[in-house]
Amino acid sequence: MTSYPSTNVPTFTFHNYKVYVNTACIKSLPDFDYVQIMVNPSEQKLTLHPCSEYEKNALRWCSATVKRSPRRIACRIFFAKVMALMNWNPGSRYKLFGNLIRSNKDAIFTFDLTIPEVCENPDNPDNRSIQAAASNGYTIFCLQTEPKNEIKEV
């Protein structure tokens, strides 16, 4: 596991059925309060596209105050779909390190889903997880509790 100084490097984190970025992302794009989160499943990349609040699937990624700070975005279904795509444990925290790519007036953040920094089960002692399945355009998810391994004396 490689560790980077996340104060200056853009990060995107999955934790506790929420997603969020760090301050470096917010400061890199001071003119945008909304982003679109997109995942390319075949390349296993996640991108953040800055956008206006009126665009489809726009999410406020920072606070609406003078001192902009990252917002934690609750998104159980999106979280579950990424956990299933990457075969990750929903009880763990996954931090992705990314890059800001600029081209003319456009800018996007890219994050590689294949190389996360993982913190195993930081606050999930019950080993609860969300299971997701897609069928006929619907996403079905349920909370599943895995039994704890008990050691029996013989």
Side-chain angles (χ1 to χ4, degrees), residues 3 5 9 11 16 28 34 39 57 68 70 73 80 83 88 97 99 105-106 121-122 128 140-141 147-148:
S3 183
V9 176
T11 65
N16 201 20
S28 296
Y34 291 84
V39 174
N57 300 322
R68 299 171 59 206
I73 302 166
M83 294 296 121
W88 289 348
F97 296 92
N99 296 300
K105 295 180 182 179
D106 294 327
N121 298 323
R128 294 184 305 168
I140 303 165
F141 65 100
K148 292 182 180 178

Side-chain angles (χ1 to χ4, degrees), residues 17 76-77 80 90 128-133 139-145:
Y17 310 108
R76 287 183 165 278
I77 295 172
R128 294 184 305 168
S129 64
I130 286 185
Q131 302 298 315
T139 301
I140 303 165
F141 65 100
C142 64
L143 187 62
Q144 179 179 11
T145 304

Side-chain angles (χ1 to χ4, degrees), residues 106-141:
D106 294 327
I108 63 167
F109 285 102
T110 62
F111 300 89
D112 189 343
L113 291 166
T114 63
I115 49 173
E117 180 179 276
V118 183
C119 180
E120 295 291 333
N121 298 323
D123 50 12
N124 189 8
D126 299 333
N127 285 331
R128 294 184 305 168
S129 64
I130 286 185
Q131 302 298 315
S135 176
N136 295 331
Y138 293 93
T139 301
I140 303 165
F141 65 100

